[in-house]
Amino acid sequence: MKLLEKLKQFMAAQKMPTPSSGPVVVGFSGGADSVTLLHILHNLGFTCIAAHCNFQLRGNDSQSDEAFARSFSDRLNLKTECIRFDTKSYARQHKLSIEMAARELRYNWFNQLQQHYGASSIAVGHHADDSIETALINLVRGTGIDGLSGIQPVNGSVIRPLLCLSQQEIEDYIQYNKLSYVTDSTNFSTEIIRNKIRLTLIPLAETINPSFRTTMVETMRHLGESADLLSDYLQQVKKSLVKSTQEEVRIPIEELRKHRASVTLLYNLLKDYNYNSRQSEQIFRALDAEAGKLFYSPTHCLLKDRTELIIRALREYSSDIGGEVELRIFPRDDQFMFSTNPHLIHLDAGNIQLPLQLRTWKAGDSFIPLGMRNRKKLSDFLTDLKLNRMEKNEVKVLTDVTGSILWVVGFRIDEQFRVTSSTKTIAEIKLKKTIKL
């Protein structure tokens, strides 16, 4: 088939492993995409390990999918690995959405299988339409040029050979080879943002441009190439502008200002140190401020000095806030455990802008209580707790330099600052006994 030749050329162009590179762990849900991926790689001569995750989210359907996965790979005489996850418990424990919990569980296990089998790579079944959806999701949420380039064909040891194929081409392959597959009913739920884009937004766009999918693929390719050019340019700028030693990185402020689009340039220089776009803009606005202001990312501390920006790796930081709250910032490791002590909380340090302030709450204060999606007036929150007027008057809040409430002290943190699976640096905040709860 021409499709196989197209895929072989794509894999070669993206420098993906060949059959002689060793085994490949293939993410195998049993859906049309993963069935096509496993069938093609097997026919191309790869030694495939079919890896099926049962997230136990759809009752009997989950068990049926697992049985199908075993049966299908057995017919191809392939090694099959299956695992069952208590996804809901994991999501609750790690304060993740079900979707993010499943993703984390899946890739952690794939990595374990790769090491166990000495596999060259982990192959997953994302195709061109998935890449379009990802770019649109990123566009809706806000992103840069990289986010508009769609899904990358190679990301570390993870490869996506089907990115050169459309969903229609995959369906044609399935039909031509008379392959069976399973269908996940949740794929049709518009409660999930990806489904909403696939089922609603893309068909609407196709009423304006019937070739929308083809146009998007071409646009993403151009943006990806532009991103590569930008990367080359940034490497040249770094060599001439950034002064690095083992201990620190220095960026001369006046030299930075001479460059066009210096705000964007600063962001691209700082994202290597895990500063986000909002922080980069704050740092840029502070270039004319007095020397001595500090900015923290999850992994680094930036000092705005008189003539330079000085960046150092974050090891550990501690201070007292108003003599009543103690703050400690430290890198997250595998030993980290959430606090169950109401006097001790953990937040994502990367989302916090120091310095912090402890103050009595006031009318008009609002925050997003942990576990909720919408903002709530603090007065209503305290009323829900059934506090009397005297008790309400004693409540204090901890805010960062932006004025955002991080913690209604002793009661609830803000959802926006919770620790997630992507948190790299922890802010541990300890309440001292001088505050009455």
Side-chain angles (χ1 to χ4, degrees):
M1 289 180 66
K2 293 182 179 179
L3 182 145
L4 289 178
E5 189 60 34
K6 178 180 179 180
L7 188 135
K8 285 174 63 177
Q9 291 177 2
F10 176 74
M11 292 183 70
Q14 298 298 328
K15 297 181 173 58
M16 294 184 187
T18 62
S20 62
S21 303
V24 175
V25 174
V26 182
F28 187 56
S29 67
D33 306 338
S34 64
V35 163
T36 300
L37 176 65
L38 186 63
H39 193 264
I40 285 178
L41 291 180
H42 174 65
N43 284 341
L44 291 178
F46 284 88
T47 301
C48 300
I49 297 99
H52 178 81
C53 299
N54 183 344
F55 296 107
Q56 303 190 93
L57 295 172
R58 297 182 294 115
N60 291 334
D61 286 348
S62 293
Q63 313 314 319
S64 297
D65 290 355
E66 180 180 330
F68 171 84
R70 290 184 183 277
S71 174
F72 187 92
S73 56
D74 285 348
R75 289 199 300 272
L76 295 179
N77 198 28
L78 300 178
K79 176 68 178 177
T80 308
E81 292 280 359
C82 294
I83 191 170
R84 295 184 180 184
F85 293 116
D86 187 349
T87 311
K88 291 182 179 178
S89 294
Y90 186 88
R92 285 194 301 269
Q93 180 183 353
H94 295 273
K95 296 181 173 60
L96 298 171
S97 67
I98 292 295
E99 185 179 8
M100 287 304 298
R103 185 183 189 281
E104 192 168 291
L105 288 167
R106 176 169 63 249
Y107 280 101
N108 286 343
W109 184 56
F110 287 169
N111 287 329
Q112 292 172 18
L113 289 178
Q114 182 186 11
Q115 293 179 7
H116 176 74
Y117 285 101
S120 63
S121 55
I122 299 165
V124 291
H126 295 111
H127 50 72
D129 291 58
D130 291 323
S131 190
I132 293 170
E133 293 162 14
T134 297
L136 292 174
I137 289 171
N138 292 339
L139 177 63
V140 170
R141 289 175 173 170
T143 188
I145 190 171
D146 290 334
L148 294 176
S149 303
I151 302 173
Q152 298 306 304
V154 179
N155 184 7
S157 62
V158 178
I159 62 172
R160 298 178 171 89
L162 301 188
L163 278 182
C164 64
L165 305 180
S166 67
Q167 185 174 2
Q168 185 60 56
E169 287 176 303
I170 289 172
E171 291 174 1
D172 291 344
Y173 182 88
I174 288 279
Q175 185 175 2
Y176 180 84
N177 290 279
K178 297 181 173 57
L179 301 176
S180 56
Y181 61 93
V182 297
T183 301
D184 185 345
S185 59
T186 62
N187 288 339
F188 304 100
S189 170
T190 53
E191 294 297 315
I192 301 172
I193 186 171
R194 181 175 291 277
N195 294 348
K196 186 177 293 186
I197 285 175
R198 183 177 68 253
L199 300 172
T200 305
L201 182 58
I202 292 178
L204 179 61
E206 287 178 320
T207 65
I208 301 171
N209 176 10
S211 301
F212 174 74
R213 295 172 196 259
T214 302
T215 301
M216 275 294 296
V217 169
E218 283 298 303
T219 299
M220 291 189 298
R221 183 177 66 81
H222 293 317
L223 289 171
E225 292 173 352
S226 297
D228 290 339
L229 291 174
L230 176 60
S231 179
D232 292 341
Y233 168 72
L234 287 172
Q235 291 302 318
Q236 297 175 15
V237 171
K238 287 177 184 178
K239 289 180 181 179
S240 62
L241 183 63
V242 178
K243 303 171 184 177
S244 301
T245 66
Q246 282 189 329
E247 293 297 321
E248 62 188 23
V249 173
R250 292 175 176 259
I251 302 174
I253 293 174
E254 289 308 312
E255 289 298 314
L256 171 68
R257 290 182 185 276
K258 292 178 182 178
H259 287 268
R260 296 177 59 186
S262 49
V263 178
T264 301
L265 173 59
L266 180 61
Y267 164 67
N268 280 280
L269 294 176
L270 295 183
K271 71 178 183 180
D272 288 346
Y273 310 103
N274 295 304
Y275 288 91
N276 58 39
S277 58
R278 179 173 62 90
Q279 290 175 304
S280 297
E281 290 176 4
Q282 291 172 340
I283 293 168
F284 188 84
R285 289 196 297 270
L287 294 182
D288 293 322
E290 293 183 7
K293 191 169 180 59
L294 297 173
F295 299 87
Y296 288 86
S297 79
T299 55
H300 288 77
C301 172
L302 181 147
L303 168 67
K304 190 277 169 181
D305 202 10
R306 189 171 57 85
T307 61
E308 295 176 308
L309 299 176
I310 303 173
I311 307 168
R312 292 179 180 172
L314 180 64
R315 293 180 175 86
E316 186 165 311
Y317 168 88
S318 63
S319 71
D320 285 344
I321 304 166
E324 298 173 306
V325 174
E326 182 181 283
L327 167 68
R328 186 167 72 95
I329 296 178
F330 55 91
R332 181 177 184 174
D333 58 30
D334 294 336
Q335 305 303 314
F336 170 73
M337 295 183 65
F338 285 97
S339 169
T340 57
N341 182 349
H343 295 77
L344 179 69
I345 62 168
H346 292 106
L347 305 177
D348 187 331
N351 293 335
I352 296 172
Q353 291 294 302
L354 299 179
L356 305 184
Q357 178 187 13
L358 186 69
R359 63 170 174 80
T360 302
W361 77 282
K362 59 188 178 183
D365 279 342
S366 66
F367 76 124
I368 304 176
L370 180 66
M372 297 181 65
R373 295 184 178 181
N374 298 320
R375 186 165 290 277
K376 189 179 184 74
K377 288 184 179 179
L378 187 50
S379 57
D380 293 340
F381 174 78
L382 298 178
T383 298
D384 291 344
L385 293 176
K386 295 182 169 53
L387 300 184
N388 61 41
R389 179 172 294 183
M390 185 177 296
E391 289 171 330
K392 287 182 180 179
N393 289 340
E394 293 176 347
V395 172
K396 295 193 176 183
V397 295
L398 187 70
T399 65
D400 69 0
V401 73
T402 68
S404 299
I405 293 177
L406 314 180
W407 184 24
V408 180
V409 177
F411 295 105
R412 194 78 62 88
I413 66 170
D414 188 292
E415 171 73 16
Q416 301 171 99
F417 301 97
R418 68 183 177 90
V419 174
T420 69
S421 60
S422 60
T423 297
K424 296 181 179 178
T425 305
I426 303 291
E428 182 179 271
I429 301 173
K430 183 179 181 180
L431 182 64
K432 295 185 176 181
K433 294 180 180 180
T434 50
I435 297 180
K436 180 181 178 181
L437 294 181

